[in-house]
Amino acid sequence: MGTYRFWFQSVLVFYCLNAQAADRHESSLGLLSTSGNTEVSSLALRHQSELSWDKDSLLAKGSFTRASNQKIETVSIWDIGFTYGRRVGSRYSLTLGEFIEGNRFQNLLQRYSTDLGLRYEVKKEGEWSASCSIGYRFARENYPYGFANYQFFRGMLEWRRTLMKGVELSVLMEALPNFTEPDAWQANSEVALTTRLSSVFSMKNEFRWRYYHEPPVGVRYRGDTALTTAIVARF
């Protein structure tokens, strides 16, 4: 019940805020379905909204990915979260984030993460933009057999560049050294190529990599990868 209550409260807060301010929204949908000799289906949903008021900003995002083979579920991943930012200079912002995520096939029922950090916008011009963030993360991971609390240092780099008219490349890299258990450090990365189809719709090809140096008990591999193609609506 706790997870469903969190989802309900998060969606309610998101729509209340969305009614007061709006800046940029992005939704994406990826589908795959086959039948006959091979029965494979997959669904990938993502949404994020960037809202701003004067020196304050809020990034709300969530995603859900599910896949099955011969009607047997093989992928079940979801996440939802918010990041609040307060500008304290022309390029600096203080940030506070709260996230919850789950990955059934990594034995991760829920991971609750609280972030405190400082963001610096390296450059933002017509051709490209970049930003870097450093900070602290406290995370609680719930497993089928118990739980663990971790404290991390968090470093993240985001970079975007327009390759040609209507084509954008974006890269995200995140490193999470673990203060509590040094061997349990984590790393994440995303690389995406977005091609504009119209003023609203785009085609997005994205590669995501998630690495856990010391994965939960019962998990075979340290890293997970996902390659998706989706239709994106920006408004």
Side-chain angles (χ1 to χ4, degrees):
M1 285 297 294
T3 300
Y4 295 109
R5 187 179 300 112
F6 180 88
W7 272 88
F8 176 77
Q9 293 172 344
S10 299
V11 171
L12 181 62
V13 170
F14 168 72
Y15 279 109
C16 289
L17 290 169
N18 192 44
Q20 299 299 320
D23 200 4
R24 180 183 177 186
H25 309 276
E26 180 178 303
S27 298
S28 66
L29 170 64
L31 292 170
L32 171 66
S33 180
T34 65
S35 61
N37 294 314
T38 302
E39 292 187 28
V40 177
S41 65
S42 66
L43 171 66
L45 298 170
R46 296 188 74 179
H47 178 81
Q48 72 174 37
S49 287
E50 300 177 31
L51 315 174
S52 60
W53 309 261
D54 192 19
K55 294 184 178 181
D56 301 303
S57 64
L58 181 69
L59 172 65
K61 62 180 181 179
S63 69
F64 174 78
T65 303
R66 184 187 183 277
S68 63
N69 189 347
Q70 300 297 124
K71 298 183 179 180
I72 298 175
E73 189 176 52
T74 55
V75 176
S76 180
I77 304 172
W78 58 269
D79 66 77
I80 187 169
F82 303 90
T83 300
Y84 166 75
R86 174 71 175 180
R87 188 172 294 277
V88 293
S90 59
R91 294 181 180 269
Y92 291 94
S93 298
L94 297 174
T95 59
L96 171 65
E98 189 69 34
F99 304 91
I100 179 174
E101 57 190 308
N103 188 335
R104 176 184 172 188
F105 294 94
Q106 203 171 54
N107 283 340
L108 185 63
L109 300 179
Q110 304 96 19
R111 175 189 290 122
Y112 298 90
S113 301
T114 301
D115 291 345
L116 293 171
L118 177 68
R119 173 174 172 158
Y120 175 67
E121 297 178 3
V122 179
K123 191 173 183 180
K124 189 173 184 180
E125 295 181 358
E127 289 286 325
W128 67 278
S129 64
S131 67
C132 59
S133 303
I134 58 172
Y136 165 83
R137 169 175 290 181
F138 175 81
R140 178 187 176 95
E141 298 185 354
N142 293 330
Y143 317 116
Y145 50 83
F147 69 92
N149 293 328
Y150 295 124
Q151 298 185 67
F152 296 93
F153 170 82
R154 179 173 177 266
M156 186 173 71
L157 174 65
E158 296 179 271
W159 180 82
R160 295 176 182 270
R161 181 175 178 83
T162 301
L163 301 181
M164 60 183 71
K165 186 178 181 179
V167 180
E168 180 186 80
L169 176 67
S170 63
V171 178
L172 181 150
M173 295 181 291
E174 182 181 47
L176 295 160
N178 194 321
F179 294 135
T180 308
E181 292 189 26
D183 288 339
W185 59 272
Q186 303 173 12
N188 304 304
S189 66
E190 298 179 11
V191 178
L193 184 67
T194 304
T195 304
R196 183 181 299 173
L197 303 177
S198 69
S199 59
V200 175
F201 294 102
S202 302
M203 180 72 72
K204 188 174 186 178
N205 296 285
E206 181 180 65
F207 177 79
R208 303 177 73 182
W209 176 66
R210 300 287 182 266
Y211 181 81
Y212 306 87
H213 190 67
E214 193 174 84
V217 175
V219 178
R220 295 176 58 190
Y221 302 106
R222 293 179 174 178
D224 288 327
T225 62
L227 178 62
T228 59
T229 298
I231 293 292
V232 177
R234 291 177 174 174
F235 50 95

